[in-house]
Amino acid sequence: MDLRDKVGLLIDDMPEMRSAMRIQLTDAGLEKCDQARSIKEAIDRLKEKRYDLIVCDYNLGQGADGQQLLELVRRKQILPLSTAFMIVTGETGYEQVSTAAEYAPDDYLLKPFTADLLGTRLGRILDKKAALAPIYSQMGEKGDRTKALVACEALLANGGRYTLDVLRLKGELLTTLGRNEEALALYENVLQQRSTPWAEVGKARLLSLLGKDEEATAHLQRTLTAYPNYLAAYDSLAHLVGKTDKAAAQQIVEQALKVAPSTQRQRHLGGLALENKDFERAESAYRRAVEKDRTGFFKSHDDYSGLAKSCVEQGKTIEALTAVKDMGSAFARTPELEARQAAVECQVHVKSGNEAAAKLALEKALKVQQSAKLDASSALEIAQACFAGGRAEEAKAIIQSVAEDHHENDEVLAKAQGVFAQAGMEDEGTVFLEATKKRMFKLNNDAVAMAKAGQLDQAIEMLTEAADRLTNNAQIAINTAMALLMHVHRNGADLAQTKRAHAYILQAQRANASHPRLAEISGLYRKVAPAGAPPLEDV
Amino acid sequence: MAEQIDALVAAAIHDAKNALMALDTQLGEIERRPASADFAAARATTSRIAGQLAELLTLYRAQGGQLRLAIDDHDLHDFIDDLLTELGPLPAGITLDVERSAAATLGSWAFDAYLVKLALLDALRNALRQARAHVTLTLQAAPQGGICFEVADDGPGFPAAILGGENAASTQGTGLGLSFARLIAERHATPAGKHGHVALANRPGASFTLTLP
């Protein structure tokens, strides 16, 4: 692999290391290479330009590291899968880097190394990226997972050295598309030949998706005995065990944190400790999340909110209010921030018995809520404040709209259930959320039935009303587009209707880029869209 | 285990001291005649000591319960390439044959490349020291599942005591390398409960086999 026509980005906070590394990269043949001194610079560069490869030091200063940066940019889709990411580390950092998490670097290199070795290793990962490019190109935000699977099949048919990598991607794709039995069979096939951590964890995830939680738990426990450094196994196990036993889940996250520190895991630990009423541990976990990350890129509103709650539960009102204030200086001013601060402040005042101040804060939170469309976490925080402030009906109304908007998103629904639990209404919450889910299923089913019965206009009316209200609900947006396209198909080319369908498909993409039905609706769009209709790029 | 490590520490310090003295001589020669073969010898000496200290550190961490393997898929062909690059030039008059056709069928395997590389480098250096003319490195699929790396030479073979299972910290160099290889082989495990292992044999030269599950 010739590095001369490749474009690289070097990320390191130490100027002398950066220039030494730059010389080695040039010696290895990489001539075009930008540099970034910090997380902020790295993210700015990645947003404005497409790179072939990133070389990033593990230790980035200010409590930040290359692994967390990688997770952040892959999760936010700032860094496409086709870009190679290499982490460079000293020998002492190698255990932390080599702990494969959900987002692992393509390679890591231990210092010191020669320019020759650097060149060889970069060449290898770029060769692999090039071979797998047909799959990656369909795995991005606007990719078509079904086409990615076709690309997997083509590569598997050719055999070759990347077979195992292709199988790994194929397993992930099948899982995303909800083809659970096929995905499980794939992992079991791989495991018949060899044991490898990703296939063990993949198998466990599928067992759980197929309703076999006990088997999945036992499998993950065995996996961790063999691969105690494999973070993805801790994360899956904590998630699985946490469904029924928060105390056990807390222990698992504690273990994962011993393997490798991360702000996200501190937050997870804090949340579990709060639920377990282990307020001291919750406070220390959130405090670490807040204090360790001095870049501000990895912490979230949740960390300050959790810190405030764990403090006030221990009677530390001043510390709790300080956390609320600090939240304001750590993040950009947005309606979400304002809502969060007011809602958490209200809860702190309720706990410490300051009714007047609590009332004032709650009014403020509700005012923000009425004037802006908030994200799910902020809205649920306000709901929690409403419960605390004795306004249960408003709390339920907020939770209902959040749950309708995210009825396929288990994470949001679990958060909503947590709000009920905090208010001591666990059973009522379960019933309430179950009913909401059922209502959403019914709405979708009714619309489909109406459309089939020929009442297409009524179906469209019902669905567009819901889709315009519930902009985060991919399912509804897809069904709305479906009904509109059926209308076009039946009644002849109608550019206005087609454009509306187009907009709803984009809405579904924004809500959930890996929704299993996106491929189907995009296919239908291409089939029936008349000339002059907006194209669906890359879908 | 603590006593054994103490003995290994003593042997490693002794070895490192001798190696540093040899290095000093080699550097002196390089100073006199810059483009000499001593340069390669000096580099070989430094990487040998660095490798031994890394092994010792690993044993020490294992004793304190702090050793966690980093298992990930590695392409076997590339891995052997890296191993040979790190091994550097061979001593005069010794050849090394590498048999790795199995890498094409196996593709990648999941193991801790850093630790396995240390163990194999040590075994290879040892074999190169003991060989009369010839060393072989062979990669194979293990009959019971797993993979094995065999390092064999045409030298005098292992002393009877080592074949009998002693770690022999006092005999030159081999004690540490063997303890290390056994430790990391055992630590390579699968969720189904299989473990790696090390096997020694004389046929009639020394044969060292590291099997990974």
Side-chain angles (χ1 to χ4, degrees), chain A residues 318-385:
Chain A
I318 295 169
E319 283 95 328
L321 290 172
T322 306
V324 175
K325 200 169 136 254
D326 288 348
M327 187 194 308
S329 36
F331 298 103
R333 234 163 238 267
T334 57
E336 267 87 13
L337 175 70
E338 253 184 281
R340 270 301 180 96
Q341 279 187 291
V344 176
E345 194 188 328
C346 160
Q347 294 169 67
V348 171
H349 287 313
V350 169
K351 280 275 171 197
S352 61
N354 190 343
E355 262 180 57
K359 198 158 177 265
L360 221 61
L362 185 53
E363 292 300 341
K364 192 176 167 197
L366 284 167
K367 217 174 114 196
V368 181
Q369 200 249 335
Q370 277 147 19
S371 61
K373 183 150 175 75
L374 298 175
D375 65 14
S377 304
S378 312
L380 289 173
E381 190 81 82
I382 298 177
Q384 197 162 339

Side-chain angles (χ1 to χ4, degrees), chain A residues 442-464:
Chain A
K442 188 164 179 307
L443 171 68
N444 278 308
N445 289 342
D446 285 356
V448 171
M450 259 186 214
K452 277 190 183 150
Q455 297 165 290
L456 208 45
D457 291 328
Q458 288 95 316
I460 290 174
E461 195 189 323
M462 193 163 101
L463 283 166
T464 44

Side-chain angles (χ1 to χ4, degrees), chain A residues 3 31 53 107 148 197 293 341 345 393 407 447 457 481 499 515:
Chain A
L3 297 179
E31 283 157 15
L53 63 106
D107 197 4
D293 170 24
Q341 279 187 291
E345 194 188 328
E393 288 317 307
H407 87 278
D457 291 328
K499 278 185 181 160
H515 198 284

Side-chain angles (χ1 to χ4, degrees), chain A residues 193-214:
Chain A
Q193 317 287 324
R194 66 187 68 236
S195 175
T196 182
W198 59 266
E200 302 284 3
V201 171
K203 178 182 169 178
R205 282 188 187 144
L206 264 305
L207 286 172
S208 165
L209 284 171
L210 291 165
K212 300 175 184 170
D213 278 358
E214 247 172 74

